[in-house]
Amino acid sequence: MMSTESITLESGKKHTKRYPVRPSITVYDLVPLILFILVISLIFIIKPRLANVQFVELKANAGLTLVLATAGQTLALLTGGIDLSIGGVLSLTSSLAATMMTDEPLNILLWCAIILLIGMGAGLINGYVIAVLRVPPFIATLASWSIFNGLALLVLEDPGGHVSEPLRALVRSDPLGIPNSIVFIAILIVAWLLFKRSKWGTRLYAVGSDEAKAYLNGTDIVRTKMLAYVLSGCFAAVAGLYRTVEVGLGSPIAGDPFILTSAAAALVGGMSLAGGRGDLVNSILGAFIMLFIFDLIQFAGISSFYTPMVQGLFLILAVTLNTIGYRLQIRKALEQ
Amino acid sequence: MSAISSIRKFVDQNRSTFLCYVAMLALLTAVSILRPGFGFGDPKHLRALLLQASVIGLVSLGQTLVIISGGADLSLPWTVAGTAVMMTIFTQGQDEKMIWAIPVVLAGASLIGLINGLGVAYLGIAPMVMTLATNNILLGLVAGIGMGGVGTMGQYGQPPPFVVKLATGTIGGFPYLVIIMVVLAALVTILLSHTGFGRRIYVIGTNPTVARYSGVDVRGSTIGVYTLNGFLCGLAGIIMTGKFGRAYLGMGDPYLFVSFAAVIIGGASILGGSGSYVGTLGGAMLLAVLLSLLPVLNMPRSVQLIIYGLVVLFAVFFATHRSTRRA
């Protein structure tokens, strides 16, 4: 993709410069897709009768929580940070949704709004501490995870509570003939593709790849980082709400497994801890790869206790492949 | 005059560590005054505090080294749990089997560290990702093998009586564990400040590129740090079996956050290159005092978590604020 920019020189002549905005898609960007196809074809080879619509619907419904958490994590990772507080926010909103929401439409709307606001607030706090107070993201969000987890335990001591039935019916309904979770993922992807090409999307990549250069080019680092963490918090908040509706109860520790799994999924999807590269679509693929590994292990007749081990090995494999791919890409670019 | 100025310089260089100790003592004094029978008023409470601080210090030994070297160890929970499980399975509660069991367990723990180090140094995987992956692998291995009939209800046999005595016994009213900790603290401090390897840990933590151009074997040092970290986590795991009297799945989980908190509160930079084990011990003691204080004031776990988070946030903010102002 090329972009043109005109600069009027001192002499009055117009100088037009063409420069690449973003490297075009190379084969290395397709590593997550290849892994995804590999894993899903393995599943269908082992259990051919699973290749049907119900399986896809089931997986989309079950996977949406992780997809949302991973989407948030991806935005934080893009800026070169990480958001461990996803777990705390998810637990807090899950607890709130299970204790506060009733069956009245107004009440549901109110609490949905409050949950979104909590996500935004959490993101604002994280963003402020990271971008303005310059606390390293890892430790800043580790601390805020602890705080939000504490708040979640204040709201709900043990897993339980109830789910608002109308909301559950709404989420489970399929007005378009396909499950809402698939519609939601599709909307997410379209929104991402639009966002990626927007001003703020470019800024997110710029801050992640080289903060100093981005600053010198006039990028508002503080606002860009704030935006990333606010969006991340919102995704985590919605993930908590969705998990409660999907599972049928709230839990003050619901989010804990998602802290590391969301990061792992994003990394399998080609994100880098250094920031500035990767793509949300690939991260979503990464989330499904992590979920399918669980299925594969079950189908292979291996105890599901080994799942984390295989996920760990897969994480090392995927990150190594991505690193090698990235190095080859750089070498190729240097040769040109 | 020169003595005063040199003391002043020393305090200035280790400000976060001093602040941490001062905060700990102030907190302890406040408790002693507000609640007679706690803090300085009761030797038993003080001993419990020291024991708690020793446990936190024990699990933070390796984490201190890794963080100074610019890394992070997320595999701590399951390295500790894994070695504890190995220990109880191998010894089956018998002292005689310790002769071969302890070296085997420590070798296993060092191997875990070595794998972390190789992944970080040679595969170029970020420390956080590599150790996260190892943690998951260990989790799967320990849980999976455990379901093969070795353990029931996620518990795995008994530790040998000698280890139990080491972890819970006292000599003249003084716990063995505290003595072990003091010895280990001295060893790690000497390693960090008086050996070439210790200096290399700081150098690679400050700037690995500069370190490489200065002729430091960055890969070798990285592998060394992670292997030593694995060994120290193994040591912690063995002593944990004695402390709890058993090994169980997830026994290391609460210690990940605590180990980071102790190191960071103790004044180390999460970005690497600075920190000391004396600082970590201060952080461990501050956490221990906080931990013992909250139940006394009838605060539930939820409030404890919130306060933990705030304390860590404050400590890090203070540390980064100072370092950026100086720069």
Side-chain angles (χ1 to χ4, degrees):
Chain A
M1 198 167 71
M2 301 291 275
S3 164
T4 55
E5 189 183 47
S6 301
I7 303 165
T8 313
L9 296 174
E10 269 176 61
S11 54
K13 266 193 202 162
K14 236 183 175 188
H15 173 75
T16 307
K17 189 178 151 201
R18 288 170 70 83
Y19 60 94
V21 168
R22 223 172 273 118
S24 51
I25 290 176
T26 63
V27 66
Y28 310 114
D29 296 322
L30 300 177
V31 169
L33 184 65
I34 294 164
L35 286 176
F36 177 77
I37 292 171
L38 191 84
V39 173
I40 205 160
S41 23
L42 263 177
I43 285 184
F44 289 153
I45 289 167
I46 296 172
K47 295 251 167 149
R49 64 191 168 79
L50 277 182
N52 57 31
V53 182
Q54 278 87 357
F55 180 73
V56 176
E57 287 183 0
L58 193 75
K59 285 294 132 189
N61 283 335
L64 186 57
T65 316
L66 182 60
V67 166
L68 287 168
T70 308
Q73 190 68 270
T74 301
L75 295 172
L77 284 170
L78 258 186
T79 63
I82 191 163
D83 191 353
L84 304 180
S85 74
I86 281 178
V89 176
L90 210 156
S91 300
L92 177 58
T93 56
S94 169
S95 305
L96 278 176
T99 45
M100 298 300 181
M101 241 183 222
T102 60
D103 290 354
E104 272 176 75
L106 252 176
N107 179 289
I108 294 175
L109 265 180
L110 176 73
W111 278 101
C112 283
I114 292 176
I115 281 171
L116 260 181
L117 280 177
I118 288 174
M120 274 176 79
L124 279 176
I125 295 170
N126 282 333
Y128 183 79
V129 172
I130 291 164
V132 180
L133 302 183
R134 290 170 181 254
V135 171
F138 174 76
I139 203 77
T141 54
L142 189 68
S144 60
W145 162 73
S146 184
I147 295 170
F148 291 122
N149 213 7
L151 289 174
L153 280 165
L154 271 184
V155 175
L156 188 69
E157 258 180 39
D158 293 303
H162 54 85
V163 177
S164 161
E165 282 308 324
L167 185 65
R168 188 177 209 175
L170 182 72
V171 170
R172 291 251 167 108
S173 68
D174 49 348
L176 302 175
I178 34 175
N180 281 331
S181 50
I182 295 181
V183 176
F184 198 90
I185 293 174
I187 293 174
L188 185 64
I189 291 176
V190 171
W192 162 253
L193 291 176
L194 291 174
F195 174 78
K196 190 183 173 184
R197 272 153 186 73
S198 76
K199 190 168 70 182
W200 285 103
T202 314
R203 283 180 185 166
L204 225 55
Y205 276 91
V207 167
S209 33
D210 195 325
E211 204 174 312
K213 280 184 191 147
Y215 176 76
L216 290 176
N217 276 313
T219 308
D220 190 333
I221 308 278
V222 172
R223 274 200 201 172
T224 310
K225 284 190 177 174
M226 287 279 224
L227 176 77
Y229 286 97
V230 165
L231 286 175
S232 175
C234 287
F235 275 122
V238 176
L241 178 62
Y242 178 77
R243 186 208 174 265
T244 308
V245 174
E246 174 68 21
V247 176
L249 17 107
S251 161
I253 50 166
D256 286 359
F258 290 100
I259 305 172
L260 298 179
T261 322
S262 68
L267 291 164
V268 165
M271 296 297 301
S272 148
L273 277 183
R277 63 193 169 91
D279 195 290
L280 196 118
V281 180
N282 277 345
S283 292
I284 293 176
L285 289 177
F288 279 110
I289 291 172
M290 295 306 267
L291 287 171
F292 286 142
I293 290 174
F294 181 76
D295 293 331
L296 263 183
I297 287 168
Q298 268 191 326
F299 297 155
I302 303 169
S303 159
S304 64
F305 288 105
Y306 285 107
T307 311
M309 185 178 94
V310 180
Q311 284 179 339
L313 287 172
F314 214 83
L315 178 59
I316 295 180
L317 177 77
V319 172
T320 311
L321 278 179
N322 281 320
T323 315
I324 293 172
Y326 186 62
R327 281 184 188 158
L328 285 175
Q329 208 173 339
I330 286 182
R331 189 174 298 169
K332 213 172 156 191
L334 285 177
E335 275 166 8
Q336 274 170 2
Chain B
M1 244 344 250
S2 71
I4 292 170
S5 68
S6 69
I7 288 172
R8 215 192 198 147
K9 200 178 156 200
F10 183 73
V11 172
D12 209 43
Q13 275 168 352
N14 302 284
R15 180 160 294 207
S16 334
T17 308
F18 271 94
L19 203 85
C20 171
Y21 278 89
V22 168
M24 187 264 293
L25 286 175
L27 207 60
L28 200 55
T29 318
V31 187
S32 312
I33 294 167
L34 289 174
R35 289 250 170 168
F38 286 99
F40 294 121
D42 183 10
K44 257 191 204 156
H45 184 233
L46 275 185
R47 193 163 66 199
L49 277 181
L50 268 180
L51 267 175
Q52 181 73 43
S54 299
V55 172
I56 299 174
L58 194 66
V59 290
S60 319
L61 272 167
Q63 193 72 273
T64 309
L65 301 180
V66 172
I67 288 182
I68 292 175
S69 82
D73 180 19
L74 300 180
S75 69
L76 182 145
W78 286 88
T79 313
V80 169
T83 46
V85 167
M86 265 160 77
M87 184 66 190
T88 51
I89 288 178
F90 289 162
T91 57
Q92 293 297 333
Q94 291 162 351
D95 273 345
E96 310 86 70
K97 291 187 178 166
M98 275 190 336
I99 301 162
W100 62 269
I102 288 185
V104 169
V105 170
L106 288 179
S110 309
L111 181 69
I112 297 168
L114 179 68
I115 293 171
N116 277 334
L118 287 173
V120 172
Y122 281 96
L123 294 182
I125 301 177
M128 257 169 64
V129 182
M130 186 62 208
T131 52
L132 165 66
T134 347
N135 192 48
N136 270 358
I137 293 171
L138 286 170
L139 195 167
L141 264 182
V142 176
I145 293 170
M147 290 305 126
V150 182
T152 48
M153 299 294 289
Q155 286 188 33
Y156 301 81
Q158 303 277 316
F162 179 75
V163 175
V164 177
K165 199 181 165 199
L166 219 54
T168 55
T170 56
I171 175 166
F174 216 71
Y176 284 121
L177 188 59
V178 176
I179 299 169
I180 297 173
M181 258 329 292
V182 171
V183 174
L184 283 172
L187 285 177
V188 169
T189 305
I190 291 169
L191 173 88
L192 275 175
S193 52
H194 287 86
T195 66
F197 178 60
R199 221 153 289 162
R200 281 196 288 277
I201 296 179
Y202 282 97
V203 171
I204 62 173
T206 311
N207 192 333
T209 316
V210 170
R212 201 175 70 236
Y213 288 135
S214 314
V216 173
D217 179 6
V218 176
R219 280 181 171 169
S221 309
T222 306
I223 291 172
V225 169
Y226 282 96
T227 311
L228 186 58
N229 170 50
F231 178 86
L232 291 169
C233 284
L235 212 59
I238 290 175
I239 293 174
M240 268 342 175
T241 57
K243 174 130 180 66
F244 292 115
R246 64 198 175 111
Y248 56 94
L249 297 179
M251 67 189 285
D253 287 351
Y255 293 106
L256 180 64
F257 183 69
V258 168
S259 73
F260 273 108
V263 177
I264 297 302
I265 293 172
S269 159
I270 191 81
L271 303 173
S274 74
S276 69
Y277 190 66
V278 179
T280 302
L281 267 186
M285 281 193 259
L286 183 62
L287 281 175
V289 174
L290 268 177
L291 251 169
S292 74
L293 192 67
L294 300 174
V296 172
L297 302 174
N298 281 326
M299 286 189 188
R301 202 179 118 68
S302 48
V303 182
Q304 294 183 24
L305 279 172
I306 297 172
I307 291 181
Y308 258 5
L310 290 175
V311 167
V312 171
L313 214 52
F314 183 77
V316 183
F317 166 63
F318 186 80
T320 36
H321 190 64
R322 258 187 68 77
S323 61
T324 45
R325 203 176 46 184
R326 196 186 287 163

